[in-house]
C-alpha cells in the first residue's frame, strides 16, 4: 500500500485491481488543490502500470466527495488570488481528463453523498 499523507490512499486489491481512496473524511473528501494534485499523480502512476486492468475510486467515511473545497475557493477569492484559482481548476481539469482518456476503466464506488 502506498500512503499519501491524509488525502489519498492507493493499494492493489488482487492482482489487477487498483483502489484509490479519498481519505479526508473530516473535510468530506473535498477536492482541494492538494487532493487533486495527489490524485493526478496517482492516476498517472496507475495509468502507466500495464498490470492494472481496472481502478476503483472510493471515499472514506459517509461521503464519497462533497465536490470542490469551497473554503479554499473562498479564501483565494478573498485574497484576489486569480492564479491560485486558475491552478485549482487546471489541475482539476487535467485530473478528470486523465481518467476519461485512460485505457484503464475507472469505477466510482459511491456510498453516500457525491456532489459536484
Amino acid at each position: 500500500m502506498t500512503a499519501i499523507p491524509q488525502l489519498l490512499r492507493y493499494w492493489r486489491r488482487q492482482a489487477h485491481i487498483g483502489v484509490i481512496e479519498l481519505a479526508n473524511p473530516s473535510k468530506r473528501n473535498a477536492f482541494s488543490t492538494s487532493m487533486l494534485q495527489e490524485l493526478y499523480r496517482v492516476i498517472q502512476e496507475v495509468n502507466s502500470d500495464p498490470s492494472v486492468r481496472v481502478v476503483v475510486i472510493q471515499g472514506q467515511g459517509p461521503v464519497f466527495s462533497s465536490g470542490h473545497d469551497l473554503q479554499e475557493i473562498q479564501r483565494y477569492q478573498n485574497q484576489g488570488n486569480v492564479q491560485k484559482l486558475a491552478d485549482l481548476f487546471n489541475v482539476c481539469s487535467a485530473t478528470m481528463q486523465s481518467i476519461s482518456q485512460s485505457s484503464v476503466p475507472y469505477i466510482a464506488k459511491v456510498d453516500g453523498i457525491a456532489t459536484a
Side-chain angles (χ1 to χ4, degrees), residues 4-9 11 20-32 35 58-69 71 111-113:
I4 299 166
Q6 301 174 0
L7 301 177
L8 290 178
R9 292 184 329 133
W11 69 91
I20 298 172
E21 183 173 65
L22 309 178
N24 193 4
S26 65
K27 298 236 6 177
R28 298 196 160 304
N29 298 317
F31 289 118
S32 64
M35 168 89 77
Q58 63 189 32
Q60 191 180 86
V63 174
F64 176 77
S65 176
S66 60
H68 281 286
D69 184 339
Q71 291 177 340
D111 180 21
I113 297 169

Side-chain angles (χ1 to χ4, degrees), residues 22-85:
L22 309 178
N24 193 4
S26 65
K27 298 236 6 177
R28 298 196 160 304
N29 298 317
F31 289 118
S32 64
T33 302
S34 298
M35 168 89 77
L36 287 165
Q37 288 170 337
E38 289 300 324
L39 184 56
Y40 180 79
R41 186 189 65 73
V42 169
I43 289 168
Q44 297 306 304
E45 180 182 315
V46 169
N47 287 348
S48 66
D49 184 346
S51 68
V52 177
R53 295 189 185 151
V54 65
V55 178
V56 176
I57 300 178
Q58 63 189 32
Q60 191 180 86
V63 174
F64 176 77
S65 176
S66 60
H68 281 286
D69 184 339
L70 299 180
Q71 291 177 340
E72 180 181 52
I73 291 172
Q74 185 66 53
R75 185 173 61 252
Y76 293 155
Q77 287 177 332
N78 291 343
Q79 295 168 350
N81 199 331
V82 176
Q83 186 59 55
K84 289 278 191 184
L85 284 169

